[in-house]
Amino acid sequence: MTSERVAVESAKGVNGLEKIILRETRGSSAEVYLYGGHVTSWKNEHGEELLFVSSKALFKPPKAIRGGIPLCFPQFSNLGPLEQHGFARNKFWSIDTDPPAFPTNSSSKAHIDLILKPSEEDMKIWPHSYEFRLRVALGPGGDLMLTSRIRNTNSDGKPFTFTFAYHTYFSVSDISEVRVEGLETHDYLDNLQNRERFTEQGDAITFEGEVDKIYLCTPTKIAIMDHEKKRTFVLRKDGLPDAVVWNPWDKKAKAMADFGDDEYKHVLCVEAAAIEKPITLKPGEEWRGRQELSAVPSSYCSGQLDPQRVLQGS
Ligand SMILES: O=P(O)(O)OC[C@H]1O[C@H](O)[C@H](O)[C@@H](O)[C@@H]1O
């Protein structure tokens, strides 16, 4: 059947890197590069791009792709001895042709299973054996669902510990028109102030300058409201208590070679994460972390949208 044939397609992406294209029958789509297991595109049924990828993104190993959804594993940021954000985002992943059964009975045909296992070289850097399985799926309404399953396959009986984030770059019309709901009153570690702990005040988060915060013990649902676009992103998460909010603003943007000087105006990173309490797995144990994104039209300016309903509704 035609719809089945086009639901999942393999293609060459930028610089000949292999990518998988997912398409839902109503027109939404997503793209995943095997390099990094990295989602680089998520479009709604009107073909509008919902993720930000820098016009200066390199698509050249070993640099991670600037934008989309990099996977931070086994280390978030520089919180440990490994390279910034760990190595999963700059490894070549494989297609997992025979993934173990998924408990979530998703009816979507538009999904792909990827797997990352360490090479002998990798084990010199992080001496652990693991299987990292990633499922990327598009729901019938265009929702983008990412499920990570990480298993300790060490044969030496040793546990391992990691931190993790889905480093999602949302495309926004104008950062100064964006507000984030669901994180207010929560504690955060401010990466711009030696990771000192503060409590967020106020109704919602708005943006007037650089921000780099790790919100702790956050709710399972966060809303990112783009007033100008009249669009609300809803991020739902499971197994990921923390949420990073990052925008480099003008000075840091200029300092990044793979990021346009003015692009900070059109992006906001909100990252479902497990950072404050690292995950420890014994051999044979598996951890699961899930992030589900949807984009819904909103008319916040005309008062039609009740943010509480967005956050509390199903
Ligand atoms: O430049 P990258 O290594 O991709 O990191 C980009 C950003 O990622 C996270 O959001 C961190 O909290 C930031 O401190 C960091 O600058």
Side-chain angles (χ1 to χ4, degrees):
M1 264 160 48
T2 325
S3 62
E4 258 178 73
R5 212 172 56 228
V6 298
V8 183
E9 190 191 332
S10 173
K12 291 279 177 222
V14 182
N15 292 334
L17 293 173
E18 203 177 331
K19 67 178 180 182
I20 307 297
I21 305 170
L22 305 177
R23 290 194 189 88
E24 244 304 316
T25 39
R26 280 186 235 163
S28 57
S29 65
E31 295 189 3
V32 192
Y33 274 67
L34 294 193
Y35 177 57
H38 196 133
V39 175
T40 55
S41 173
W42 169 41
K43 289 181 181 164
N44 63 16
E45 54 194 44
H46 309 296
E48 293 165 332
E49 182 57 66
L50 303 169
L51 296 178
F52 165 91
V53 174
S54 172
S55 61
K56 295 196 165 180
L58 287 176
F59 290 85
K60 205 171 167 203
K63 180 85 184 151
I65 299 165
R66 177 67 66 196
I69 313 182
L71 298 168
C72 303
F73 169 83
Q75 175 186 298
F76 178 77
S77 189
N78 58 359
L79 291 161
L82 302 175
E83 63 192 288
Q84 160 99 348
H85 291 327
F87 46 71
R89 63 177 181 164
N90 48 25
K91 291 275 177 261
F92 281 92
W93 290 56
S94 306
I95 293 171
D96 192 3
T97 46
D98 190 21
F102 244 73
T104 47
N105 48 351
S106 151
S107 58
S108 164
K109 291 192 180 72
H111 70 259
I112 186 77
D113 288 288
L114 302 182
I115 185 163
L116 181 70
K117 293 184 200 177
S119 66
E120 273 177 29
E121 275 306 296
D122 297 341
M123 288 184 69
K124 289 182 190 154
I125 293 160
W126 201 58
H128 297 293
S129 180
Y130 63 87
E131 288 172 354
F132 183 162
R133 289 191 162 80
L134 173 72
R135 172 169 287 194
V136 182
L138 267 180
D143 295 359
L144 180 70
M145 294 163 291
L146 278 80
T147 309
S148 290
R149 296 185 287 177
I150 296 170
R151 177 177 288 276
N152 181 334
T153 53
N154 272 337
S155 53
D156 59 6
K158 287 199 180 125
F160 63 65
T161 297
F162 63 91
T163 47
F164 180 95
Y166 289 112
H167 194 309
T168 307
Y169 288 74
F170 291 97
S171 170
V172 298
S173 52
D174 176 353
I175 186 70
S176 59
E177 294 290 322
V178 170
R179 56 192 261 150
V180 175
E181 305 233 354
L183 301 176
E184 55 278 4
T185 74
H186 285 270
D187 280 9
Y188 63 87
L189 307 179
D190 194 339
N191 282 326
L192 302 177
Q193 297 187 66
N194 301 318
R195 300 210 172 95
E196 227 183 290
R197 192 172 180 129
F198 298 94
T199 303
E200 190 62 68
Q201 309 290 335
D203 293 339
I205 298 158
T206 53
F207 302 91
E208 292 166 344
E210 184 184 359
V211 55
D212 190 354
K213 295 176 177 174
I214 305 169
Y215 289 88
L216 308 172
C217 298
T218 58
T220 54
K221 218 163 169 181
I222 298 167
I224 300 140
M225 292 158 182
D226 184 341
H227 292 178
E228 204 175 293
K229 265 264 157 63
K230 299 200 171 19
R231 175 186 290 149
T232 296
F233 293 107
V234 181
L235 185 161
R236 292 179 180 83
K237 59 190 178 59
D238 189 32
L240 298 159
D242 306 322
V244 181
V245 176
W246 180 60
N247 182 297
W249 222 255
D250 55 349
K251 254 171 72 190
K252 285 236 170 102
K254 283 201 178 86
M256 284 189 278
D258 60 346
F259 194 93
D261 289 0
D262 285 331
E263 286 182 334
Y264 74 92
K265 292 175 185 161
H266 308 297
V267 64
L268 180 66
C269 288
V270 180
E271 313 164 27
I275 299 170
E276 190 197 21
K277 296 187 183 105
I279 314 290
T280 297
L281 293 177
K282 292 193 198 108
E285 283 182 341
E286 185 176 86
W287 170 85
R288 184 182 309 243
R290 191 173 151 81
Q291 166 175 287
E292 196 172 316
L293 306 177
S294 49
V296 294
S298 62
S299 309
Y300 191 76
C301 298
S302 61
Q304 287 172 3
L305 180 76
D306 177 350
Q308 284 313 312
R309 278 177 54 194
V310 170
L311 290 170
Q312 285 158 15
S314 62

